[in-house]
Amino acid sequence: VSRLEGAARAAAGLARQILDYSRDAADTQGRADLRTCVEEVAALMRHSLDPRIEVRVDAGAGAAPVPLAPGRVQQILMNLCCNARDAMPAGGVLELGVRVHGSEATLRVRDTGMGMTEEVRRRIFQPFFTTKEPGHGTGLGLAVCREIVAAAGGAIRVESAPGQGTLFEIHLPLAAAEAAPAEPLPEAEAAGGHTILVVDDEPLIRMVAERFLERAGFRVVAAENGEQALDLLRREGQRIDLVLLDLTMPGMRGPQVVAALRAFLPDLPVVITSGYSEQSVTQATWAHEVQGFLAKPFDRKSLLAAIARALAGA
Ligand SMILES: Nc1ncnc2c1ncn2[C@@H]1O[C@H](COP(=O)(O)OP(=O)(O)OP(=O)(O)O)[C@@H](O)[C@H]1O
Ligand SMILES: [Mg+2]
C-alpha cells in the first residue's frame, strides 16, 4: 500500500509542478528558433534513449523563429519525444522535422511505435488522460502542450493508428523578424548574475528548475549525474556560485558528490533537493556540509527562497 501511495504522491506532485510551471510561463512572451530547439532535443535524445531507437532529424536550413520561449518549445518536444519513446519499447525510429512555409512553421514528431486506437486518440489532450502505469504518466503532457501551442496562436494535430506509429504536427505562426528584448524581471536584481549548477537525473525536474531560475535572472548550467557535475566543477568551478543537488541519483549519490567537491571547493554553497522529509535529511551525518534543503516537488517560490538563503549565508 505504501508503495502505491508513494507513486500516487509522486504523480500528483509532478502534476502540480508541471501545471505550476506551465501557468508560470504561459504569460511569458518569448522567441525561439524551432531548428535550434529540435537539434538540441535530438542530441539529448540520442544520449538518453535506448540505442534501439534511431533518432532522425530533418530540420532544413535557416532559422524558424516562433513566438514562444525556448523552454516552452523544449517542453513540448520533450513530452512528444518521451511519448514516442514509451510507444517504442522494442525500438524504432523517432523522427523530428521542421518546415517553414509562408508565415508559418511546422514541427513534426513521428514515431514507428504502437500507435493508438481511435478511442485513445480522441482523449489524449484531456488533462490526466493516460494509458500508462500509475507513477509513469500523469496524463498532463499533451494537455500542457496544447495549452502552450494555443497560447502562441498555433494548433496541434495527430495522425495515428494501432501498429502504424504516430505523427504529431504542430503549426505555429512565425515570429516577427525582430522581437523586442524581453523586459528584465524585478527578481533579476536579486539573482545578481549568479550561476547555479542544477544536478538531477530527472530531465523534467532539471527543466523546471532551469526555467524557474533563468526567469528569475540566474544563469544556469545542468548536469544529469554526480560524475558529470564533478567534472564540470573541476573544470569551471570558479564560475559556479551554488549547486542545486538531487539526493538520490543513479551512480554517485548526493552526499558522495558533496564529499568529493568539498575537497576542491570547500566554500561552494550546496542546496540538497529530495523527496524525503527535511528532518530525515537534516539528521544525516553529512547535513552540516550543505547550506540548504529543498523538498521535492518544489514550486518556484520555495526554490528561489532556498537559493537566496543559501547564497546569503555563503
Ligand atoms: N506517440 C504516441 N504513441 C502512442 N500513444 C501515445 C503517443 N503519445 C501519446 N500517446 C497516448 O496519449 C496518452 C496521453 O499522453 P500525455 O503525454 O498527455 O500523457 P502521458 O504521457 O501518459 O503522461 P505524462 O506526459 O504526463 O507523463 C498517453 O498515455 C498515450 O496513451
Ligand atoms: Mg507524455
Side-chain angles (χ1 to χ4, degrees):
V1 172
S2 80
R3 241 182 67 203
L4 264 181
E5 271 174 6
R9 246 201 321 274
L14 205 54
R16 222 180 314 124
Q17 202 169 57
I18 296 167
L19 279 179
D20 191 11
Y21 168 60
S22 121
R23 266 195 303 271
D24 181 65
D27 55 346
T28 311
Q29 285 302 310
R31 196 179 141 88
D33 177 25
L34 274 187
R35 289 193 167 115
T36 310
C37 293
V38 160
E39 302 280 1
E40 279 170 11
V41 170
L44 185 73
M45 287 297 142
R46 284 197 183 98
H47 273 94
S48 55
L49 290 185
D50 182 328
R52 290 174 303 172
I53 296 180
E54 186 196 338
V55 180
R56 288 187 198 154
V57 178
D58 175 16
V66 293
L68 278 172
R72 324 234 65 211
V73 177
Q74 279 162 15
Q75 187 183 8
I76 292 171
L77 279 165
M78 286 295 288
N79 183 59
L80 294 180
C81 290
C82 289
N83 284 348
R85 171 203 62 197
D86 294 343
M88 300 188 286
V93 178
L94 166 61
E95 213 177 288
L96 303 176
V98 178
R99 279 276 163 281
V100 172
H101 34 86
S103 58
E104 190 188 277
T106 306
L107 175 66
R108 308 173 113 226
V109 178
R110 185 198 292 276
D111 68 66
T112 56
M114 59 178 75
M116 295 172 232
T117 61
E118 164 79 31
E119 205 189 337
V120 167
R121 212 201 57 209
R122 274 200 312 250
R123 302 187 59 193
I124 53 173
F125 294 108
Q126 292 173 4
F128 302 109
F129 173 78
T130 181
T131 56
K132 294 170 192 175
E133 303 267 299
H136 286 270
T138 61
L140 279 171
L142 288 172
V144 170
C145 284
R146 190 171 63 172
E147 202 177 307
I148 297 171
V149 170
I156 181 167
R157 52 179 289 276
V158 58
E159 260 171 48
S160 186
Q164 304 293 304
T166 299
L167 167 67
F168 279 94
E169 212 171 67
I170 293 177
H171 300 272
L172 287 165
L174 284 176
E178 230 128 288
E183 285 274 310
L185 291 157
E187 286 153 333
E189 235 166 89
H194 286 300
T195 300
I196 313 282
L197 170 61
V198 176
V199 191
D200 204 301
D201 59 306
E202 176 58 58
L204 200 55
I205 302 282
R206 278 202 307 276
M207 201 166 72
V208 167
E210 247 178 273
R211 291 303 139 195
F212 283 160
L213 290 169
E214 276 174 2
R215 241 201 124 206
F218 290 100
R219 278 192 293 270
V220 181
V221 283
E224 59 189 64
N225 57 49
E227 290 82 354
Q228 217 180 69
L230 284 172
D231 228 45
L232 215 139
L233 287 169
R234 273 192 204 98
R235 278 185 288 119
E236 26 197 337
Q238 296 319 313
R239 65 176 192 96
I240 309 276
D241 300 294
L242 183 144
V243 183
L244 187 70
L245 181 65
D246 184 26
L247 181 67
T248 45
M249 295 178 286
M252 274 182 109
R253 292 166 47 90
Q256 292 174 280
V257 177
V258 175
L261 76 84
R262 282 292 171 246
F264 56 100
L265 293 167
D267 302 320
L268 180 64
V270 175
V271 173
I272 291 282
T273 58
S274 162
Y276 295 115
S277 77
E278 170 152 17
Q279 205 191 13
S280 65
V281 172
T282 48
Q283 281 171 358
T285 50
W286 47 269
H288 64 277
E289 294 279 352
V290 304
Q291 284 64 45
F293 171 81
L294 181 63
K296 276 195 207 174
F298 47 79
D299 58 18
R300 171 188 165 82
K301 232 171 87 186
S302 52
L303 170 68
L304 295 179
I307 299 245
R309 263 197 310 273
L311 283 173

